[in-house]
Amino acid sequence: MDEQRGPGVGPPRWWRHGPPGWGRRAAERGDGTRWPWPSTVLFTAFVLIGSGFADHAQTGERVALDPQARVLLLLSGAVLLWRWRHPVAVLWGTVAAVLLYLGAGYPYGPVLLTVAVAGFAAVVSGRRYAAWAAMGTLWAGHLLTVHVLYRWLPPSGDDAAPWTEEIVVATWVVALLAVSELARVRREQWARERAERARAERRRADEERLRIARELHDVLAHSISVINVQAGVGLALLDSDPEHARSALTTIKAKSKEALGEVRQVLDTLRAPGAAPRTPAPGLDRLPELVEQAASAGLTVTVEGEPPRLAPGADLAAFRIVQEALTNVVRHSGSREARVRIERRDGRLRLLVDDDGPATGADAGGTGNGLAGMRERAAALGGTIEAGTRPDGGFRVLADLPIDTEEDDR
């Protein structure tokens, strides 16, 4: 993000927010620009004062400044106030004012600055062809004035300008256009980079929202499924077997407390992005807890194989896949037994969760996003999930994760 960029990295601030005069207040008004008063006043004052010095330096060579000349100077500077709103019109206006000024025989000087500023604004705003045409017109007009029309224009008795002067003017025009084009290209490049950063930031935000939604779903789905089953047991035994009903309520209390703790841990990442978690993320080392929780919901789980030590992200994904698969057994299967098999082959982890069915069709309050969440977790690691009914009527979830263990990294 921009606030993380060090000094001197990337475009200066006024480029990041557009040309001078573009800002937040303008966007709020909806016109796209605001009036560049400070720079316009500065340019106009410089042109007026500098032309006065030029008048003294060119006494006897050019026509002395009079009120009409000062009006032309004032207009050529004041019109720059609209240079970001109407860049082409302003550029042609300054070109016309400068040609009138020079055609009247007034002194050369800072008046050319107004054309330079207007031309720069036009090119940077993307009106490059109009800017080239206007600057070409300025050079052609000056050429016509000092080599053809000078006989009839003031000052009287003036001679044609040397061609070296035209080379200087042409060089000045080309240099101005080159600098403006460079600024335009850099500005467009920075705009593309800014847009790409914004897209990347949106992608990261979308991925983070998806991760949090997946985590909340897995945490709540499992806990609420256990709570749902135990609530049903408690209601059924409330009158006939109060002791078993009390045990079911105790399980509900414990599971709800655990679920609240895990939800708080997930939400803490929203309140303090980048902060270290207060508790470690669950992994396959917590499978015994998962088996115990499933048992409290009436499901007997058999685990085959030893879980390897995995990197935290992969360990969490593997745990959530097994958790969701067992939750689906509790919700949707008539079988009260499930088998979890852990295999490690050639740097790949295979997780198999089987039950003997049949499907009951009950949803136990589920959202139907469990399998989709498992596939997203596996895909994030470059793995796959296969889930479906077995020929004998049971159901199998097979996760194949191409991951490296922590032991391999040592």
Side-chain angles (χ1 to χ4, degrees):
M1 296 187 294
D2 288 341
E3 59 268 19
Q4 295 173 333
R5 298 168 71 92
V9 179
R13 181 178 179 184
W14 67 274
W15 276 113
R16 292 201 301 268
H17 301 284
W22 288 13
R24 178 172 51 82
R25 285 183 293 171
E28 292 173 352
R29 289 197 309 269
D31 56 14
T33 58
R34 70 175 181 221
W35 300 104
W37 284 103
S39 57
T40 300
V41 170
L42 179 64
F43 289 139
T44 304
F46 180 79
V47 168
L48 288 172
I49 296 172
S51 296
F53 286 103
D55 182 34
H56 289 293
Q58 299 174 43
T59 301
E61 300 177 10
R62 305 289 292 174
V63 176
L65 292 179
D66 54 23
Q68 289 82 0
R70 299 187 187 280
V71 169
L72 281 175
L73 293 173
L74 181 62
L75 289 176
S76 66
V79 75
L80 294 177
L81 188 63
W82 287 269
R83 65 185 181 275
W84 297 119
R85 292 171 179 260
H86 309 288
V88 175
V90 168
L91 176 57
W92 283 103
T94 55
V95 167
V98 169
L99 287 177
L100 285 174
Y101 177 90
L102 297 179
Y106 296 122
Y108 291 99
V111 65
L112 295 175
L113 175 65
T114 60
V115 178
V117 173
F120 181 87
V123 173
V124 170
S125 297
R127 277 63 167 194
R128 48 194 312 215
Y129 297 119
W132 295 350
M135 299 304 286
T137 300
L138 174 66
W139 179 75
H142 180 265
L143 186 68
L144 182 66
T145 299
V146 299
H147 287 279
V148 177
L149 301 179
Y150 70 93
R151 299 181 182 87
W152 302 280
L153 295 175
S156 59
D158 196 12
D159 296 327
W163 284 100
T164 54
E165 181 178 307
E166 293 310 312
I167 295 176
V168 172
V169 174
T171 302
W172 177 82
V173 170
V174 171
L176 172 63
L177 289 175
V179 170
S180 301
E181 286 290 342
L182 176 61
R184 179 188 62 81
V185 170
R186 292 298 300 274
R187 178 172 177 263
E188 291 177 355
Q189 177 185 351
W190 289 326
R192 287 193 298 270
E193 292 174 355
R194 185 170 63 247
E196 180 58 34
R197 287 196 299 271
R199 285 193 294 270
E201 188 65 25
R202 286 194 296 270
R203 284 195 300 270
R204 286 193 294 270
D206 290 341
E207 291 169 359
E208 182 66 10
R209 282 194 295 269
L210 180 60
R211 184 193 68 80
I212 292 172
R214 206 163 43 221
E215 195 71 13
L216 286 174
H217 172 273
D218 292 347
V219 168
L220 295 177
H222 177 74
S223 299
I224 291 175
S225 293
V226 174
I227 290 171
N228 179 275
V229 171
Q230 291 298 319
V233 172
L235 286 173
L237 301 177
L238 185 61
D239 296 325
S240 61
D241 194 346
E243 194 60 35
H244 279 83
R246 181 186 299 275
S247 176
L249 291 175
T250 301
T251 301
I252 290 174
K253 179 180 179 182
K255 285 305 301 177
S256 60
K257 181 178 180 181
E258 179 185 340
L260 285 173
E262 293 198 40
V263 169
R264 287 194 187 99
Q265 180 181 346
V266 174
L267 295 181
D268 280 344
T269 64
L270 294 177
R271 297 191 182 99
R278 298 180 182 179
T279 58
L284 290 179
D285 58 335
R286 286 181 53 180
L287 271 181
E289 290 182 37
L290 208 54
V291 171
E292 183 180 346
Q293 293 166 7
S296 67
L299 181 66
T300 301
V301 180
T302 303
V303 179
E304 302 175 9
E306 289 294 325
R309 297 182 61 185
L310 305 174
D315 208 13
L316 174 62
F319 176 82
R320 292 302 187 199
I321 288 172
V322 175
Q323 183 185 51
E324 181 61 30
L326 293 178
T327 300
N328 286 341
V329 176
V330 172
R331 286 177 177 168
H332 308 299
S333 177
S335 174
R336 293 298 86 192
E337 293 185 1
R339 295 175 298 280
V340 177
R341 187 158 76 247
I342 303 172
E343 300 176 355
R344 178 186 171 194
R345 298 179 183 174
D346 302 326
R348 302 178 73 86
L349 180 69
R350 287 167 56 88
L351 301 171
L352 291 92
V353 182
D354 286 282
D355 71 89
D356 296 330
T360 63
D363 62 8
T367 63
N369 293 322
L371 287 177
M374 286 193 286
R375 290 192 175 97
E376 289 169 356
R377 286 188 183 277
L381 298 173
T384 59
I385 291 285
E386 297 178 13
T389 305
R390 300 198 316 259
D392 60 2
F395 196 86
R396 166 172 289 180
V397 173
L398 169 60
D400 186 86
L401 307 177
I403 54 177
D404 295 326
T405 65
E406 286 187 345
E407 294 171 349
D408 293 336
D409 295 336
R410 293 178 180 176

